[in-house]
Amino acid sequence: MIERLSFGLATGEVLALVGRNGSGKTTLLRALALLVRPEAGAIRWQGVDVTADPETWRGRLAWLGHLEGLKGDLSVAENLRVAERLRGDASPDIGRVEAALAAFDLLGLADRPVRTLSAGQRRRAALTRVVLADAAVWLLDEPLNALDGPAQVAFRVALANHLAGGGLAIAATHADLGVAGGRTLELGRAG
Amino acid sequence: MIERLSFGLATGEVLALVGRNGSGKTTLLRALALLVRPEAGAIRWQGVDVTADPETWRGRLAWLGHLEGLKGDLSVAENLRVAERLRGDASPDIGRVEAALAAFDLLGLADRPVRTLSAGQRRRAALTRVVLADAAVWLLDEPLNALDGPAQVAFRVALANHLAGGGLAIAATHADLGVAGGRTLELGRAG
Amino acid sequence: MSGFAALVGRDLRLVWRRPGDVAVVLAFFVVATTLFPLGIGPEANVLARIAAGVLWCAALFSALLSLDRLFAADFEDGTLDLLLLAPWPLELAALAKCCAHWIVTGLPLAALAPVLGVAFGLGPEVLQALAVTLLVGTPTLSLIGGLAAALTLGARKSGALLALLALPLCVPTLIFGAGAIEALATGGDFGAHLAVLAALALVALATTPWAIAAALRQAGE
Amino acid sequence: MSGFAALVGRDLRLVWRRPGDVAVVLAFFVVATTLFPLGIGPEANVLARIAAGVLWCAALFSALLSLDRLFAADFEDGTLDLLLLAPWPLELAALAKCCAHWIVTGLPLAALAPVLGVAFGLGPEVLQALAVTLLVGTPTLSLIGGLAAALTLGARKSGALLALLALPLCVPTLIFGAGAIEALATGGDFGAHLAVLAALALVALATTPWAIAAALRQAGE
Amino acid sequence: MADLHFLANPARYRRFSQRVLPGLSIATVLMLAVGLYLALIQSPPDYQQGDTVRIMFVHVPSAWLGMAGYALLAGLGASLLVWRHPLAALMARAAAPVGASFTAICLLTGALWGRPMWGAYWVWDARLTSMLLLFFLYLGHIALSRAYDEPERGDRAAAILALIGVINLPIIKFSVDWWNTLHQPASVARLGGPSIHPSILLPLLWMAVTMFLLFVLLVMLRTDTEIDRRRLDNAEAQA
Ligand code: HEM
Ligand SMILES: Nc1ncnc2c1ncn2[C@@H]1O[C@H](COP(=O)(O)OP(=O)(O)OP(=O)(O)O)[C@@H](O)[C@H]1O
Ligand SMILES: Nc1ncnc2c1ncn2[C@@H]1O[C@H](COP(=O)(O)OP(=O)(O)OP(=O)(O)O)[C@@H](O)[C@H]1O
Ligand SMILES: [Mg+2]
Ligand SMILES: [Mg+2]
């Protein structure tokens, strides 16, 4: 589906995937996370093909898909705690969790079951999970979807911090990511 | 949930519902479509309470929810045809269908099963359905979600045509609708 | 009526796109029926004695299994909102959905049951009776199951819940369906049983569409 | 292991939030069991003869009915992607899910079956045997059903498809489970049957987690 | 129901229940004490059944209340769907488990009674089966009303179910009767013919009234709890 594509990223860089509807942004992100098997091509991390040791690669990733991956019956805080433990982090630091929740203005909603949240509130909870994962690589599919103005600002701040800390990020988006020093990759065709 | 709210619309007007995440935009749209029963308050069309004759009111509406209401196994064209017949329109005019598809650049995808479309392509198919419904009132929940640049332009043109033809529209959105003469209603609280 | 026909047509077309779905329900019917001889043991006289009951129970389970998606698919992809907003009675839409369901499950089940009955050692007259009772009884199952499906829309674990709601309501149909065949074997009044089955179908036809429509409306809220 | 415990804990917590879900499965078990006397007729000797088979079949259906959401919920809300991306073996995650499922269905089913057996006129020794066989046999059902649930992820009509996939694989367990009780009644070797049941459970434990993990991976694609 | 319209408002109902409940509780306890004396001590053992006959004083009233409870659910369902009385939903939620419990008590006492009388805890007799199905209808109602994220939706779905279920109840009863008589002529020895001896009739009626009061008391207490719970939930949702 996607052909002839090649790019490299240095630490501290963000890559915005843009392109017409159906140009393959979502598909590319899933391929990078090894969720779909690309027909050809390779993904290298510091020169080593990541398919050789997928678990280590997965440990480096934080993922935000089109779907949030939150359990409606658990509260925001419970969802975050389970997500951390599933990543293998036995006892997440409470202070960090609170700071991340505060950044997305979710402190007041932390104990609400996720099913009672509106579209944008859920999206913010999922972004909090990405921040807490403390991963080297963020893969984000339309992170700005459904976010209101202040939440978009919060996301930009979080992303800038992540990059400043030496992380890198790849995000599919139709809107402007609004982070300084970002690079853009335009996928062609479809529409 | 939503309190103390009152507005009127004249023909040819569009109302943008804006507000923080969770301020109740989606809920308000569903209430206007009589999909949820409001605890208090009234919706009047030309002075008459619409709950008195819900079927006539429904006949006046075209709806685009967060979910597209498209069947993944049917093609775009089949979906549109069924939607028209479910609205009671026995034989939709082929020329109109083609024109609407062309407006959203979907002619090439008309015979593709909807499940193979990307997020934005599906959204465009749903917008085509709204246009074809030929309804007096459009109720749209985040119509610009997932649309790429050209598709956003196509939507603005379609909306302008609808308004010029004496229709009216109410749309929840976080982005700028970008139509001249639009009014904005800001819902308060939540975030 | 155009909407009614359009809806039946759409559902049939969706099934036609995926003939496997019907095949799966029928296959389940076959597998479930064959499980009983495995669980119970192969004695011919016991099997023939229980055949009608087992086949009717299996038909009931099959119909219910295929029902849990009846409205759920429309609910999840937003089509239900469009049906709720259509300017014609929702009761007709409910009837159309159940009607389409019966065409793709009740009808083939009735056709398949006699074939399975042969494996239980039933005679030709009984096989025919089996088909007839299923033909008259399955519309009731589609209607009652449709109601249960509508009531459980948006509820969690709807598969088991649906069965729990529908099964007690389906008991009369089961009793008269299996009972009619029993009556045939023991010289009872087959016709009377069949008449009751038909009456049950009419009662279901007269009441469930309204209840389904009411359930769908509140699911949309 | 922290991830394994976290996943079992999360699933149990989700069930704990909704105790009704388990209750519904058990209620289905009860209702389904009572359908058979209604279809077959009330003769005590026939019923006692088929009781073990019917109860085992009903337990099988109940376990399968509750399985259709095992991975589907995680799939639909995107949690499955997170499990796939977790840096520990997916096989363990698969096992954790099946384990949680067994705790909330297999265990209570085994406890409930003897109570229902009373209604079929079974004696105390048989009732005890029923509980024991179910205790040993239901883990196999959870594992095989989990595999079927993983394989049908993303397919529509997965309820019936799941049953269709799982039922044939569960047949050996059913035969030896119901057979053990039969053996008890007819003076056969109950212990041998039970040993086979246990062996089946071990085989399932050794093979299905890998198959489930593979199925989940391809469902994510 | 029409006369109870004034109670449709939960706050007004709350005031009513606070006035009624103390007296009702005391009356129920006193009646129960007397009833137990009449049933367990004062009434003579049956010449055929011996002391097991005393089970009847619980068994029969719970059968009646189990059936009446479902009719109540249907009535409450109608008043929720037609008049949208908010109290009807809460009361249905409160009443369903109570009705189910009485049905269960009837089933259990019947089963315990069946052991000495028929030699089996359970036989597939028409009356037993239809009672069992009634119990399932209750279970469905309870499960459905709790299966939703929003309790209001559960209330309305359960109300629809109760209305359809009540149409089906006579159908079930009649079909089960026919089913049974077809296969098996009444092999079940029942006590009594048309006339029951007054020494048994009096405690029976006394217990029937007592258990009716108990039913009302339980439903009212549970309704109060449901009102509190709903208020708490709403308050939490607002917070
Ligand atoms: C689980 C088993 C049983 C169930 C579900 C059951 C159910 C019922 C029901 C529903 C009624 C009320 C009928 C009406 O008033 O319309 C009833 C009444 C009665 N039952 Fe049972 N029953 C059971 C076992 C027994 C047993 C073992 C006996 C004693 C031999 C018994 C004796 C009676 C009597 C004397 C009455 C009241 C008088 C009458 O209506 O004839 N029941 N039972
Ligand atoms: N299941 C599928 N089967 C066949 N083709 C598919 C399938 N899913 C997606 N496609 C096609 O693959 C292409 C890329 O889709 P993808 O979802 O990656 O696009 P995208 O860039 O994310 O678009 P959008 O901006 O609309 O989200 C599209 O042309 C789409 O039609
Ligand atoms: N099922 C529910 N139960 C309880 N509260 C809910 C439920 N659904 C939504 N809410 C609450 O209702 C409020 C309004 O939600 P709504 O979805 O209408 O917001 P919105 O304006 O559309 O937000 P967004 O911009 O995020 O889409 C929110 O505070 C939300 O948390
Ligand atoms: Mg995409
Ligand atoms: Mg919204």
Side-chain angles (χ1 to χ4, degrees):
Chain A
M1 227 141 37
I2 308 170
E3 286 164 37
R4 280 183 303 280
L5 202 66
S6 164
F7 59 90
L9 275 185
T11 52
E13 266 191 328
V14 58
L15 179 71
L17 298 178
V18 301
R20 299 290 310 267
N21 291 141
S23 53
K25 302 180 292 296
T26 300
T27 311
L28 178 58
L29 281 175
R30 292 187 76 80
L32 287 173
L34 306 184
L35 288 172
V36 298
R37 220 176 305 233
E39 272 166 35
I43 306 161
R44 272 181 284 272
W45 173 259
Q46 298 176 344
V48 183
D49 189 332
V50 298
T51 50
D53 182 2
E55 290 201 357
T56 309
W57 173 239
R58 289 194 189 116
R60 294 215 174 85
L61 300 180
W63 173 260
L64 173 74
H66 172 59
L67 297 166
E68 275 93 14
L70 302 168
K71 287 283 158 201
D73 277 346
L74 299 183
S75 72
V76 174
E78 284 172 324
N79 264 297
L80 294 176
R81 217 172 305 137
V82 169
E84 280 300 273
R85 291 187 60 198
L86 288 182
R87 275 184 59 84
D89 191 351
S91 57
D93 171 4
I94 309 269
R96 275 189 64 225
V97 175
E98 296 225 323
L101 282 171
F104 285 101
D105 195 13
L106 284 173
L107 274 182
L109 300 176
D111 293 325
R112 277 262 294 270
V114 165
R115 77 186 125 76
T116 67
L117 300 186
S118 80
Q121 290 165 339
R122 297 176 62 116
R123 201 85 190 148
R124 276 146 57 189
L127 282 168
T128 312
R129 188 190 61 223
V130 170
V131 170
L132 286 176
D134 202 15
V137 183
W138 287 7
L139 299 178
L140 314 170
D141 201 353
E142 314 226 11
L144 295 171
N145 241 7
L147 296 186
D148 61 18
Q152 299 193 3
V153 173
F155 166 70
R156 292 197 175 108
V157 171
L159 180 57
N161 284 343
H162 171 63
L163 299 176
L168 53 85
I170 305 178
T173 181
H174 290 294
D176 183 12
L177 281 182
V179 176
R183 289 167 49 194
T184 298
L185 178 71
E186 174 140 10
L187 299 184
R189 283 190 314 175
Chain B
M1 224 142 37
I2 309 170
E3 286 165 36
R4 278 182 303 278
L5 200 69
S6 166
F7 59 90
L9 276 185
T11 52
E13 267 190 329
V14 58
L15 179 72
L17 298 178
V18 301
R20 298 289 310 267
N21 291 139
S23 53
K25 303 179 290 299
T26 301
T27 311
L28 178 57
L29 281 177
R30 293 187 75 81
L32 287 173
L34 306 185
L35 287 172
V36 298
R37 221 176 300 230
E39 272 166 37
I43 307 160
R44 271 182 285 271
W45 173 259
Q46 300 176 341
V48 184
D49 190 330
V50 298
T51 49
D53 181 2
E55 292 203 356
T56 309
W57 173 240
R58 289 194 189 117
R60 294 215 173 85
L61 300 180
W63 173 261
L64 173 72
H66 173 59
L67 297 165
E68 274 93 14
L70 301 169
K71 287 283 158 201
D73 278 345
L74 299 183
S75 73
V76 175
E78 284 172 324
N79 265 297
L80 294 176
R81 215 171 308 135
V82 170
E84 279 300 273
R85 291 185 60 197
L86 287 182
R87 275 184 60 82
D89 192 349
S91 55
D93 172 2
I94 308 272
R96 275 188 64 225
V97 175
E98 297 225 322
L101 283 170
F104 285 102
D105 197 12
L106 284 173
L107 274 181
L109 300 176
D111 292 326
R112 280 260 295 269
V114 165
R115 81 186 120 75
T116 68
L117 300 186
S118 79
Q121 291 166 338
R122 297 175 63 117
R123 201 84 189 147
R124 277 146 56 190
L127 281 169
T128 312
R129 188 190 60 224
V130 169
V131 170
L132 285 176
D134 201 16
V137 183
W138 286 6
L139 299 178
L140 314 171
D141 201 352
E142 313 226 11
L144 295 171
N145 240 6
L147 295 186
D148 61 18
Q152 299 194 3
V153 173
F155 167 69
R156 292 192 176 113
V157 170
L159 180 58
N161 283 343
H162 170 64
L163 299 177
L168 51 87
I170 304 178
T173 182
H174 291 295
D176 183 12
L177 281 182
V179 176
R183 289 167 50 191
T184 299
L185 178 70
E186 174 140 10
L187 301 184
R189 282 192 313 177
Chain C
M1 282 311 286
S2 132
F4 182 88
L7 197 51
V8 175
R10 188 206 67 171
D11 276 14
L12 292 182
R13 184 190 294 250
L14 282 172
V15 170
W16 183 246
R17 286 285 146 84
R18 307 269 187 184
D21 292 353
V22 175
V24 162
V25 174
L26 297 181
F28 172 79
F29 181 53
V30 176
V31 175
T33 316
T34 43
L35 275 190
F36 284 98
L38 293 177
I40 288 162
E43 287 145 60
N45 58 334
V46 177
L47 287 182
R49 170 71 192 72
I50 65 170
V54 165
L55 281 166
W56 254 92
C57 286
L60 184 52
F61 285 132
S62 313
L64 291 187
L65 263 183
S66 62
L67 269 163
D68 66 342
R69 304 291 306 159
L70 186 63
F71 297 105
D74 286 347
F75 181 66
E76 284 158 16
D77 66 13
T79 313
L80 186 62
D81 282 342
L82 298 184
L83 288 180
L84 287 167
L85 290 172
W88 47 284
L90 191 58
E91 285 75 11
L92 269 181
L95 198 57
K97 298 280 300 179
C98 293
C99 187
H101 176 265
W102 180 74
I103 293 174
V104 296
T105 58
L107 218 47
L109 280 180
L112 197 59
V115 181
L116 292 173
V118 172
F120 283 82
L122 299 179
E125 205 186 2
V126 178
L127 293 179
Q128 195 185 328
L130 192 62
V132 172
T133 53
L134 279 171
L135 215 53
V136 180
T138 42
T140 319
L141 304 186
S142 288
L143 287 163
I144 291 178
L147 173 61
L151 284 173
T152 54
L153 258 192
R156 285 129 311 93
K157 282 278 163 70
S158 53
L161 181 57
L162 183 142
L164 175 62
L165 298 182
L167 287 180
L169 297 179
C170 291
V171 160
T173 304
L174 173 70
I175 287 179
F176 285 97
I181 299 162
E182 187 76 22
L184 197 71
T186 59
D189 190 347
F190 177 73
H193 278 82
L194 202 61
V196 175
L197 262 191
L200 289 173
L202 289 178
V203 171
L205 194 65
T207 53
T208 49
W210 277 262
I212 296 177
L216 292 179
R217 270 196 208 99
Q218 65 92 15
E221 289 205 358
Chain D
M1 283 312 284
S2 132
F4 182 88
L7 197 52
V8 175
R10 188 207 64 171
D11 276 15
L12 292 182
R13 183 190 293 249
L14 282 173
V15 170
W16 182 247
R17 286 286 145 85
R18 310 275 186 179
D21 293 352
V22 176
V24 163
V25 174
L26 297 181
F28 171 78
F29 180 53
V30 177
V31 176
T33 314
T34 41
L35 276 190
F36 285 97
L38 295 176
I40 289 163
E43 286 146 58
N45 57 336
V46 176
L47 288 180
R49 172 71 193 72
I50 64 169
V54 165
L55 282 166
W56 254 92
C57 286
L60 183 54
F61 286 136
S62 311
L64 292 187
L65 261 184
S66 62
L67 271 164
D68 66 343
R69 305 291 306 158
L70 187 62
F71 297 106
D74 286 347
F75 180 66
E76 283 157 17
D77 66 16
T79 313
L80 186 61
D81 282 342
L82 298 183
L83 288 180
L84 288 167
L85 290 173
W88 48 283
L90 192 58
E91 286 76 12
L92 269 182
L95 197 57
K97 298 279 299 181
C98 293
C99 185
H101 177 263
W102 182 74
I103 293 175
V104 296
T105 58
L107 218 49
L109 279 181
L112 197 60
V115 180
L116 292 175
V118 173
F120 284 81
L122 298 180
E125 205 186 3
V126 180
L127 294 178
Q128 197 185 328
L130 192 62
V132 172
T133 53
L134 279 172
L135 216 53
V136 180
T138 43
T140 320
L141 304 187
S142 288
L143 288 164
I144 292 179
L147 175 59
L151 285 172
T152 53
L153 259 192
R156 286 127 312 94
K157 283 280 166 68
S158 52
L161 181 57
L162 184 142
L164 180 61
L165 290 177
L167 286 180
L169 293 176
C170 293
V171 161
T173 304
L174 175 71
I175 289 181
F176 284 97
I181 298 162
E182 185 77 23
L184 197 72
T186 60
D189 190 345
F190 177 72
H193 277 82
L194 201 61
V196 176
L197 263 191
L200 287 173
L202 290 178
V203 171
L205 194 64
T207 53
T208 50
W210 277 263
I212 296 176
L216 290 180
R217 272 196 204 98
Q218 65 90 19
E221 291 210 352
Chain E
M1 288 307 294
D3 301 328
L4 298 177
H5 272 201
F6 81 100
L7 290 177
N9 172 324
R12 229 174 304 152
Y13 164 81
R14 178 47 79 71
R15 260 174 274 132
F16 169 80
S17 80
Q18 272 163 0
R19 237 175 305 127
V20 171
L21 272 179
L24 185 60
S25 316
I26 294 168
T28 310
V29 170
L30 290 180
M31 297 252 331
L32 194 61
V34 176
L36 286 179
Y37 169 77
L38 287 178
L40 296 183
I41 296 164
Q42 196 259 342
S43 77
D46 187 72
Y47 73 99
Q48 264 184 330
Q49 309 187 6
D51 278 328
T52 55
V53 73
R54 304 186 193 283
I55 292 179
M56 182 177 73
F57 301 124
V58 176
H59 173 76
V60 176
S62 24
W64 290 339
L65 286 168
M67 293 183 285
Y70 204 86
L72 174 68
L73 283 190
L76 290 171
S79 85
L80 175 65
L81 293 176
V82 179
W83 298 291
R84 306 208 127 229
H85 286 167
L87 184 68
L90 298 171
M91 201 177 258
R93 214 170 253 271
V98 178
S101 305
F102 277 97
T103 310
I105 291 174
C106 168
L107 288 167
L108 282 177
T109 51
L112 291 177
W113 202 0
R115 184 67 181 160
M117 297 322 319
W118 311 328
Y121 287 110
W122 185 265
V123 294
W124 292 93
D125 156 271
R127 187 182 242 176
L128 274 59
T129 307
S130 65
M131 206 60 186
L132 186 65
L133 290 170
L134 174 65
F135 183 61
F136 293 157
L137 284 176
Y138 270 118
L139 286 190
H141 189 281
I142 295 170
L144 186 60
S145 66
R146 282 159 178 65
Y148 280 91
D149 293 337
E150 304 92 3
E152 289 82 9
R153 272 173 66 180
D155 291 336
R156 282 193 298 269
I160 297 169
L161 180 71
L163 285 176
I164 288 288
V166 89
I167 303 174
N168 240 275
L169 260 190
I171 298 181
I172 288 178
K173 189 161 173 44
F174 145 82
S175 54
V176 168
D177 272 328
W178 200 3
W179 164 74
N180 188 302
T181 48
L182 261 183
H183 292 298
Q184 178 184 302
S187 66
V188 175
R190 280 211 180 270
L191 165 115
S195 67
I196 302 180
H197 194 274
S199 68
I200 286 182
L201 189 61
L202 172 71
L204 181 61
L205 290 181
W206 185 280
M207 279 305 285
V209 174
T210 307
M211 286 180 65
F212 174 76
L213 289 183
L214 183 64
F215 183 96
V216 174
L217 177 67
L218 288 175
V219 170
M220 286 184 71
L221 283 173
R222 287 181 49 86
T223 305
D224 279 348
T225 319
E226 288 296 336
I227 292 176
D228 289 341
R229 183 180 312 176
R230 195 62 65 89
R231 282 194 184 140
L232 206 66
D233 285 351
N234 289 345
E236 263 175 17
Q238 304 280 303

